[in-house]
């Protein structure tokens, strides 16, 4: 649906060149809620702004539904851009216009009569659940309500793609949840492809099916959300995941635990693992105690992490861990002098 091929962007500033986006390629499928996460300055906004060519990349191609945007002339580009809505952190509403007028704005000059416009505005108001605020001004709305107006306005021309640049960063957690809920709803209802920038892994976890992690102008890791959460490769990805998986607590317990032979078992999927633990304990004559457990639901997939202590003959422990790994459970050594070379992830 969206193909980004080898685009890059360098800004010339008085103090020199800034390579905001190094050579980047991404494929986004129809119906994806694709998250882009990274720290401030990573290049996220530059990347998303290259998708609708608000920023013209220095090289490479942006192709949406087989149309090569990077080759279009100004007039054709304007037409194509109508199919790409965008919302921002600070909503960007017109202060002197009412909610209805803000939403109607992109419908002007399209050959629609007043009645058609009114009907469409009513539809959009009910979609974002703001019917009663129709005649209010932006200053009379809460942040969440302002973002709902911005979403309605972005959807006015029935776009196929919605770009969201930190759309929830100015909102409290509860309002963030309700806006994410609305994005999820329109994604399903309208089969709308959403590209969403954030610096919060919680947001990614909540609604995205795929994610790209950006660092210093590069996409350093990308993939399906459950794969990334269960098997992150880069340290920066691990750090982001730690913010939602309560790993600080886990590390604290591991540090406190005096004994040797503490391992972390991670698994994906809803299958219960207790049977495996008791089987291993029986078959290999080891005692396994659970020090800490955390089960997260990422979209519809269960991700489990167990911190366990294994006591027994060292050869049995080794065999037991090998068996667990063969069952598809990831085993990481947290504390183990003897086997750390064999098992460190
Ligand atoms: N118009 C510009 N002129 C010069 N430099 C820019 C411009 N826009 C962005 N940059 C620089 O490019 C780099 C990437 O910026 P970008 O806004 O894409 O980051 P970001 O990941 O969106 O950050 P944030 O989370 O703070 O919004 C930064 O170093 C920034 O200072
Ligand atoms: Mg930004």
């Amino acid at each position: 649906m969206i193909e980004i091929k080898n685009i890059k962007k360098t800004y010339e500033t008085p103090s020199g060149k800034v390579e905001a986006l190094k050579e980047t390629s991404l494929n986004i499928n129809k119906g994806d809620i694709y998250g882009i996460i990274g720290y401030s300055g990573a290049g996220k906004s530059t990347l998303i702004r290259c998708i609708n060519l608000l920023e013209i990349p220095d090289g490479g191609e942006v192709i949406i539904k087989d149309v090569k945007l990077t080759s279009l002339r100004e007039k054709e580009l304007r037409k194509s851009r109508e199919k790409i809505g965008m919302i921002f952190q600070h909503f960007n509403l017109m202060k002197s216009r009412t909610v209805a007028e803000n939403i109607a704005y992109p419908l002007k000059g399209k050959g629609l009569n007043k009645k058609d416009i009114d009907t469409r505005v009513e539809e959009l108001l009910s979609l974002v659940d703001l019917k009663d605020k129709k005649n209010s001004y932006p200053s009379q709305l809460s942040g969440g309500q302002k973002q709902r107006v911005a979403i309605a306005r972005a959807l006015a021309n029935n776009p196929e793609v919605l770009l969201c640049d930190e759309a929830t960063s100015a909102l409290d957690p509860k309002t963030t949840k309700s806006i994410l809920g609305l994005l999820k709803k329109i994604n399903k209802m309208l089969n709308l492809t959403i590209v969403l920038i954030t610096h919060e892994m919680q947001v990614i976890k909540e609604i995205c099916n795929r994610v790209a992690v950006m660092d210093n102008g590069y996409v350093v890791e990308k993939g399906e959300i459950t794969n990334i959460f269960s098997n992150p490769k880069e340290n920066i990805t691990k750090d982001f995941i730690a913010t939602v998986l309560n790993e600080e607590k886990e590390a604290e317990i591991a540090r406190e635990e005096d004994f040797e032979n503490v391992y972390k078992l991670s698994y994906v999927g809803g299958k219960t693992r207790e049977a495996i633990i008791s089987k291993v304990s029986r078959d290999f004559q080891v005692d396994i105690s659970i020090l800490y457990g955390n089960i997260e639901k990422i979209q519809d997939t269960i991700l489990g992490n167990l911190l366990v202590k294994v006591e027994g003959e060292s050869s049995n422990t080794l065999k037991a861990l090998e068996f667990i790994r063969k069952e598809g459970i990831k085993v990481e050594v947290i504390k183990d002098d003897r086997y750390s070379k064999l098992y460190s992830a």
Side-chain angles (χ1 to χ4, degrees), residues 44-45 165-166:
K44 308 180 295 294
S45 294
D165 192 346
E166 304 271 6

Side-chain angles (χ1 to χ4, degrees), residues 35 52 60 65 67 81 91 102 144 152 188 208 219 266 299 330 345:
N52 58 1
K65 279 189 86 181
V67 178
R81 272 207 192 110
F91 325 119
N102 266 281
K188 288 266 173 312
C208 296
V219 170
S266 319
Q299 306 294 302
K330 188 165 133 194

Side-chain angles (χ1 to χ4, degrees), residues 60-252:
E61 293 175 352
V62 177
I63 302 165
I64 300 188
K65 279 189 86 181
D66 298 325
V67 178
K68 203 187 283 183
L69 296 195
T70 30
S71 309
L72 296 182
R73 291 164 195 283
E74 186 58 35
K75 200 177 147 203
E76 300 161 316
L77 179 59
R78 226 176 301 138
K79 195 108 200 81
S80 284
R81 272 207 192 110
E82 280 182 6
K83 292 289 154 202
I84 312 172
M86 188 159 185
I87 57 171
F88 306 87
Q89 180 173 3
H90 297 295
F91 325 119
N92 298 10
L93 300 178
M94 293 175 288
K95 292 185 180 64
S96 59
R97 294 177 197 240
T98 64
V99 165
E101 287 164 348
N102 266 281
I103 298 172
Y105 192 76
L107 297 167
K108 297 267 159 71
K110 297 260 142 53
L112 296 174
N113 62 35
K114 190 175 172 311
K115 196 167 153 278
D116 293 339
I117 293 181
D118 284 349
T119 310
R120 180 70 184 135
V121 169
E122 289 294 336
E123 268 170 28
L124 291 159
L125 280 168
S126 94
L127 180 68
V128 301
D129 211 6
L130 268 190
K131 277 191 127 137
D132 52 332
K133 298 291 178 190
K134 186 178 172 183
N135 297 313
S136 302
Y137 285 88
S139 61
Q140 298 168 316
L141 303 178
S142 69
Q145 290 166 337
K146 284 181 199 167
Q147 198 57 289
R148 283 172 186 269
V149 177
I151 291 170
R153 183 181 58 180
L155 296 179
N157 283 311
N158 294 308
E160 302 204 27
V161 178
L162 179 67
L163 307 177
C164 312
D165 192 346
E166 304 271 6
T168 57
S169 297
L171 307 174
D172 63 62
K174 193 163 160 240
T175 312
T176 292
K177 250 193 148 68
S178 87
I179 293 294
L180 295 179
L182 174 61
L183 291 176
K184 216 172 188 168
K185 175 176 111 177
I186 58 180
N187 161 257
K188 288 266 173 312
M189 235 172 100
L190 313 172
N191 198 15
L192 181 75
T193 306
I194 297 181
V195 186
L196 174 152
I197 289 182
T198 181
H199 56 267
E200 290 174 283
M201 204 60 175
Q202 190 63 39
V203 169
I204 303 276
K205 183 194 143 195
E206 194 93 15
I207 65 165
C208 296
N209 64 317
R210 294 204 288 155
V211 64
V213 183
M214 287 194 77
D215 190 23
N216 192 28
Y218 288 104
V219 170
V220 294
E221 191 160 4
K222 60 188 172 190
E224 299 281 333
I225 208 86
T226 41
N227 291 343
I228 297 283
F229 268 87
S230 59
N231 204 10
K233 303 267 183 313
E234 301 293 325
N235 283 334
I236 180 171
T237 313
K238 292 177 186 168
D239 289 346
F240 276 121
I241 291 172
T243 61
V244 290
L245 291 192
N246 221 347
E247 288 182 356
E248 288 88 354
K249 183 87 196 136
E250 189 181 288
E252 192 185 308

